[in-house]
Every structure is written in C-alpha cells, then in structure tokens.
C-alpha cells in the first residue's frame, strides 16, 4: 500500500519534474535559441573599453567544416584589433551551425556572437530561373575551365553576398558591416577603429585589394548594367561629375567594362546603402536577368560596379593601412615610418597593389590620390 503510494508519487510528481530539469539543462548547455527566428545567440562576457563603439558587426558566411581556419582568422582579427573594442560577430550559414562551431568561435570572441541560417529566398532558385538551363550552363563552364564554373553552391553564395546578406534579420540592428572569410589573415595591428572612420568621414564603402575579374564568368554582366543605367539614370552619378568613379572601371565612358573590381572578401560598408532602393533596384535588375545562375557573376564585380555607378569617390575609401591576405594575394602597407614595420608580419615588397593584375594604380591615377592620402595613423 505505502509502496504503491510512493510509487505513484514518484511517477506523477518527481518524474515530470526531473524530465523538465533535464531538458532545461540540455537547453542551457547548448546555448540559447531565439525560438521565433531560429537564430542562436551566445552571450559572452566582454572586456569593455572606455569609449564608444560604432553600431557595427563582423559578418561571416561560413561552413561548419571551416571551423579551424575560421578560428585562425578570428584570433588574428581579435588580437590585432577587436579585443580593444568587442564588436560582435555574426556567423551565417546555409546549414545549421553545429555545437562545436558555436563553442569554438564564441570562446574566441571579445564581443557577442550570433549564428544564423539562410532561408530559401536567400539561398535558393528564384522561380524565373530555368534550373535545367542553369545546370547545362554549369557543365559547359566547367568544361571550359572557368574557376568555380561547375559549382552550384558557389552561385548561391555569390547571389547571397550580392543581394541578401545585408537583409538578414541578424544584421537589422547594425549600421556598418565588416565582411570576413575563413582562411584570411590580418598581418598588421589595426590601431584605430575603421568603423569610426566610416561614420566620421561619412564613408559608404571600404576596400583593400582591387583586381580584374575573369571575363568568362560575366559575359553579359556589363550589357545588363548598361540597360540598368538607361532605365534608372536617377541613380547614376553623372559621368562628367568630378566625383564620378565610373571612369575607373570604364575608361571609355561606360561603353565597356575593364573588369576592375574591389575584392569583396574584405569589405567594410554602410548597410544603409546596401538596403537603399537604389542598390535593391540594381540587384533585382541583375537577378531578373538570370546571370547569377546562367553565368557565374561574382558579388565582387556586382558590389564594385554598384559603387562605381552610384557612389561618389569621396564615399569610397582604400583601407591602405590594414594588412590583409586572402589566398593568393597579400596587401601589405609599405610606410614603416608611419605604421612601424614591427606591427606587421607581411612583406611590403609582396604587396599586390603594385602587381600588374591590380587595379589600384589605375584607381590612384583616376582619383588623383596617393597611398599616403589613405593613411589614417598619419592623421592622428
Ligand atoms: N555556409 C556556406 N558558406 C559558403 C559556401 N560557399 C562559400 N561560402 C563562404 O562564402 C565566402 C566566399 O567563398 P569562398 O569559397 O572563399 O570563395 P572565393 O573567396 O571566391 O574563393 P576561394 O577563397 O579562393 O576559394 C566564404 O566566406 C565562404 O566561407 C557554402 O556553400 N556554404
Ligand atoms: C573614460 O574616458 C573619459 C574621457 O576620455 C574619462 O573622463 C573617464 O575618466 C574615463 N573612464 C574610465 C573608467 O577610464
Ligand atoms: C527569408 O527571410 C527574409 C528576411 O527575413 C524574408 O523577407 C523572406 O520572406 C524569407 N523567405 C522565406 C521563404 O521565408
Ligand atoms: Mg575566399
């Protein structure tokens, strides 16, 4: 009698309680999930500076498999810069991040870390795309030896980076982003806050490396851009305006594209511009033409052409004094008197900006500026 009463008590009261406790413990240990958005947030004690921080975040599209190189990159950016600021990191992925990825990245961050996935609008085929035609085009480009020509995921990636990352809900709270990729290196100390420079100088787009695109990836991009320019003249900085950048990518006044672009694996940008109707109209126009899938348009020429058409040159900044490596090219500042060469582990004589494939000499010529004009440290 007593035994069954105790048994019933255990079953009815203690068992449910212990199940709830176990579930809570599991939820706690695996980080908290914002149920509404399916986005994971890891709160982290952060060393706060005495000073203000801009409303900005790092944004990284990355796969779980790239955890090790992601940590290497993060560690460099943290110790070279962010440990003094604690800017948040936003990690995005077409697949859910696994626990190991969350644990091993949040542990390295001086700021909060956020983890989000992409939905089918951001990573998927729009309904006007003929997927069979896209598949055939991939095969043809693969056979033609076009880099990533046969890759389907690379195309989704480029389209996402061109038109969607800035609309991901995790970026909604921010004004500025700094794009980071796994496998990149930051070989120099960064002794100032680039986000602060963006805001104080009213900049829209910051870059470090320029390069020429492989023509076979964008056969019809420029003709599509020309149609856009005709249809939306209100968005284009007039080409005779001294602030126009068009001549840098099209020395014949808009007729042809010289393939020059900012290498978008590094970018510091103003999100308000990406979210603007002008940029969205531009992206949608390109997207409707199908070139992200039928060709292999990269986000680098897309962002760069948008900037050269719609931004004034004074809104665009070369972060000359930020050392950077993305395989196979390095940007290494070469003004030891200003920067202190001991602050860098890169070799200035290796810097891509004097390479014949770089478009930076043309940029400097066209804008009639010099490397020294871009040193921030010098101005302090
Ligand atoms: N989650 C996810 N991220 C991807 C995928 N493909 C590319 N990325 C990310 O998108 C960015 C660009 O991809 P990369 O493979 O670096 O492309 P790339 O810089 O043109 O080429 P390499 O770096 O030379 O390979 C990086 O941040 C990658 O981590 C994918 O299928 N899933
Ligand atoms: C923070 O900086 C301000 C102005 O630079 C100074 O007045 C203040 O004492 C500093 N606070 C701390 C905690 O260091
Ligand atoms: C994907 O997310 C974006 C941004 O929140 C939203 O506008 C879009 O409607 C979503 N797409 C789907 C298929 O849910
Ligand atoms: Mg890359």
């Amino acid at each position: 009698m007593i035994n069954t009463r105790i048994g019933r008590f255990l079953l009815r009261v203690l068992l449910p309680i212990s199940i709830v406790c176990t579930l809570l413990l599991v939820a706690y240990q695996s980080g908290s999930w914002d149920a509404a958005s399916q986005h994971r947030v890891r709160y982290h004690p952060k060393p706060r500076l005495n000073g203000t921080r801009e409303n900005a975040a790092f944004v990284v599209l990355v796969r779980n498999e790239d955890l090790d190189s992601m940590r290497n990159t993060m560690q460099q950016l943290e110790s070279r810069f962010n440990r003094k600021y604690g800017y948040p990191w936003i990690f995005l992925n077409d697949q859910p991040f696994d626990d190991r990825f969350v644990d091993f990245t949040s542990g390295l961050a001086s700021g909060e870390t956020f983890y989000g996935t992409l939905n089918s609008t951001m990573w998927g085929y729009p309904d006007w795309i003929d997927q069979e035609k896209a598949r055939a085009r991939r095969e043809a480009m693969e056979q033609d030896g076009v880099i990533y020509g046969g890759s389907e995921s690379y195309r989704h990636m480029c389209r996402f980076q061109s038109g969607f990352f800035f609309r991901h809900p995790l970026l909604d709270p921010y004004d500025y982003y700094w794009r980071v990729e796994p496998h990149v290196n930051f070989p120099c100390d960064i002794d100032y806050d680039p986000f602060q420079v963006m805001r104080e100088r009213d900049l829209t787009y910051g870059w470090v490396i320029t390069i020429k695109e492989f023509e076979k990836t964008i056969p019809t991009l420029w003709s599509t851009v020309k149609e856009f320019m005709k249809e939306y003249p209100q968005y284009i900085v007039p080409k005779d305006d001294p602030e126009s950048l068009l001549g840098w990518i099209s020395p014949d006044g808009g007729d042809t594209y010289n393939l020059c672009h900012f290498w978008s694996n590094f970018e510091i940008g103003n999100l308000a511009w990406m979210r603007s109707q002008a940029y969205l109209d531009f992206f949608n126009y390109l997207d409707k033409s199908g070139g992200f899938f039928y060709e292999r348009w990269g986000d680098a020429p897309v962002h760069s052409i948008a900037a050269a058409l719609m931004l004034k040159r004074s809104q665009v900044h070369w972060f000359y004094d930020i050392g950077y490596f993305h395989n196979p090219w390095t940007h290494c500042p070469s003004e030891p008197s200003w920067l202190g060469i001991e602050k860098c582990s890169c070799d200035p004589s290796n810097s891509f900006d004097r390479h014949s494939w770089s478009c930076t000499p043309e940029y400097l010529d066209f804008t009639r500026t010099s490397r020294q004009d871009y040193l921030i440290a010098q101005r302090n």
Side-chain angles (χ1 to χ4, degrees), residues 237-248:
V237 178
K239 61 183 168 194
D240 53 358
D241 188 317
E243 280 275 55
S244 169
L245 259 179
L246 182 68
W248 171 56

Side-chain angles (χ1 to χ4, degrees), residues 325-367:
F325 169 82
H326 177 298
N327 193 38
W329 306 117
T330 298
H331 168 69
C332 193
S334 52
E335 262 71 21
S337 56
W338 289 113
L339 293 167
I341 199 71
E342 72 280 0
K343 290 182 181 173
C344 294
S345 61
C346 53
D347 175 357
S349 65
N350 240 346
S351 194
F352 188 65
D353 27 286
R354 294 169 201 271
H355 193 286
S356 61
W357 296 351
S358 167
C359 293
T360 301
E362 288 94 322
Y363 188 92
L364 295 177
D365 278 353
F366 180 73
T367 57

